[in-house]
Amino acid sequence: KNEVEQSPQNLTAQEGEFITINCSYSVGISALHWLQQHPGGGIVSLFMLSSGKKKHGRLIATINIQEKHSSLHITASHPRDSAVYICAVTDMYSGGGADGLTFGKGTHLIIQP
Amino acid sequence: EAGVTQSPTHLIKTRGQQATLRCSPISGHTSVYWYQQALGLGLQFLLWYDEGEERNRGNFPPRFSGRQFPNYSSELNVNALELEDSALYLCASDIWGETQYFGPGTRLLVL
């Protein structure tokens, strides 16, 4: 079973700062997901990636398969970016079966004006 | 296009009762996943349904069960409720293992 570790657990930054959240996992995956959860509980999928880098607006996600590591970057951070960011992985398929996502514990991000 | 919907939004039950939670996936999605987010425990995978069949389940007792209907909507049933079942239950859907889209969740409180 995959172990997913995120760092930092909590992060408070000033508006405009460049933010990096890290995620590492223990065994091979078919995909890694970055999710955003707002205080009301709703979850939004930000990225799903299996190699390289993806960019959407001010968000950038990278993954290094060999090192089993991914990073989520936020450029020009804004108070509305305040949320919990969760890394999750889909384990390698075997025999046609697959688990749902395995989640990290999340990073609580607060961006102060 | 409508997103994943869940009902009810909130549910209050007492110990020993049964709870039924419902999920409607995005149109065209054939897989439905159920997750539990209990306070302090993070998100955990509960069940995966695809094309009407249970494909996999997480480390949860058999009193957590469900089904997927021909229209791909799904039901999660929790029998013999215990206090620690109080949690946010999230449903997600996808097709062909692509990006999962999450519903707003059902908050279950067991008294």
Side-chain angles (χ1 to χ4, degrees), chain B residues 34-36 44-47 56-58 60 64 76 89:
Chain B
W34 286 96
Y35 299 97
Q36 183 197 65
Q44 296 184 81
F45 165 65
L46 253 171
L47 288 159
N56 211 343
R57 65 184 294 128
F60 283 84
F64 287 83
L76 173 69
Y89 289 85

Side-chain angles (χ1 to χ4, degrees), chain A residues 1-51:
Chain A
K1 185 175 164 24
N2 229 320
E3 302 287 336
V4 180
E5 299 285 340
Q6 277 186 246
S7 63
Q9 267 189 292
N10 298 284
L11 178 57
T12 300
Q14 296 299 121
E15 184 173 355
E17 286 189 38
F18 181 80
I19 304 298
T20 296
I21 299 170
N22 296 300
C23 174
S24 61
Y25 52 92
S26 56
V27 299
I29 61 170
S30 61
L32 183 140
H33 308 250
W34 282 103
L35 311 170
Q36 181 191 57
Q37 186 171 32
H38 282 283
I43 289 181
V44 174
S45 293
L46 298 174
F47 295 104
M48 175 179 167
L49 65 166
S50 54
S51 65

Side-chain angles (χ1 to χ4, degrees), chain B residues 5 7 45 92:
Chain B
T5 60
S7 64
F45 165 65

